[in-house]
Amino acid sequence: MGTTQLEAVQEPKYWHLKTVLNDALDSEFEVGEILPNERDLAARFGVARATLRQALEQLELEGRLQRRRGVGTTVAPPRIGVAVGPSANVWPGAVRDAWNTVGCVEAAAPAAIAALLGTDREEAVHTVRRERVTQGQPVATELLYVPSASVPGLSTLLTPAEHGPAVLRELHVLELEGEDRSVELGSARAEDAKQLDRLPGAPVLVVTTRYYAAGRVAAASVATYRADTCRLTFGDSGALEVLHDQPGSRRQAS
């Protein structure tokens, strides 16, 4: 490959470099191929390594690149469509739920979660950890927070393996009245990154959902999706799709 120098431009240098790199990914690299090291890439494009890192981080955020432990930076496959709602007033753990329960603990909720639930900070909350696998790869991890008041019939004689499924079953006793949901960009925490096979700080999409029953918030979930491999689809209300920008792709919202 020859050396490509960047022309003087008005936009930030890393942003222009991102465009140049994006074109190179389409024309010179295959999905899964490992990129040259930063020193070689910086020399090729005639930029400082700090500028190169900014451009690579932006491409990772947009789903064009993946950083993989022990491998390096590779060209990402197209994003996978993952439906996140609405769920037509169905509790987590219902039939056809795409999530698997991997554990559950009971403890006081973090302050932000207590505020989300409208509970006291000292109130015991069941925290169900779940994971979602699509096409053989982990795409999301979830923490489902359920106040003890929402599952009064829960047995106190549960093994660790029984705890999470029992909480979900008790939730189903309640009549679900509605949900609200928000999505924001975030960075993977160490525990989530490990479960998703990402590096800590990797870009993620955080979906926060509140479930209502008996006129109050009966449960809340915080689901962390891999931003490099997922596009989130919202079907029944809004028909919103978050799509990956690739040649021939489109963004739509209605």
Side-chain angles (χ1 to χ4, degrees), residues 163-186:
H163 192 173
V167 170
L168 294 176
R169 285 196 302 272
E170 284 299 312
L171 266 183
H172 297 172
V173 175
L174 301 175
E175 182 179 352
L176 180 60
E177 297 172 347
E179 310 160 33
D180 61 39
R181 185 174 286 107
S182 64
V183 183
E184 60 187 326
L185 183 66

Side-chain angles (χ1 to χ4, degrees), residues 38-93:
E38 288 185 1
R39 182 185 60 230
D40 291 344
L41 283 174
R44 172 185 173 181
F45 294 103
V47 298
R49 291 177 68 172
T51 300
L52 176 68
R53 289 192 189 103
Q54 284 182 293
L56 293 177
E57 288 171 358
Q58 186 64 36
L59 287 170
E60 182 187 11
L61 184 64
E62 294 179 5
R64 294 306 318 269
L65 299 176
Q66 293 178 352
R67 291 183 298 164
R68 301 174 57 191
R69 288 187 182 90
V71 176
T73 302
T74 63
V75 180
R79 283 176 169 152
I80 299 168
V82 181
V84 297
S87 55
N89 283 4
V90 176
W91 285 112

Side-chain angles (χ1 to χ4, degrees), residues 23-38:
D23 291 341
L25 294 179
D26 289 333
S27 61
E28 302 178 30
F29 295 91
E30 301 292 334
V31 169
E33 187 172 348
I34 302 173
L35 265 62
N37 61 44
E38 288 185 1

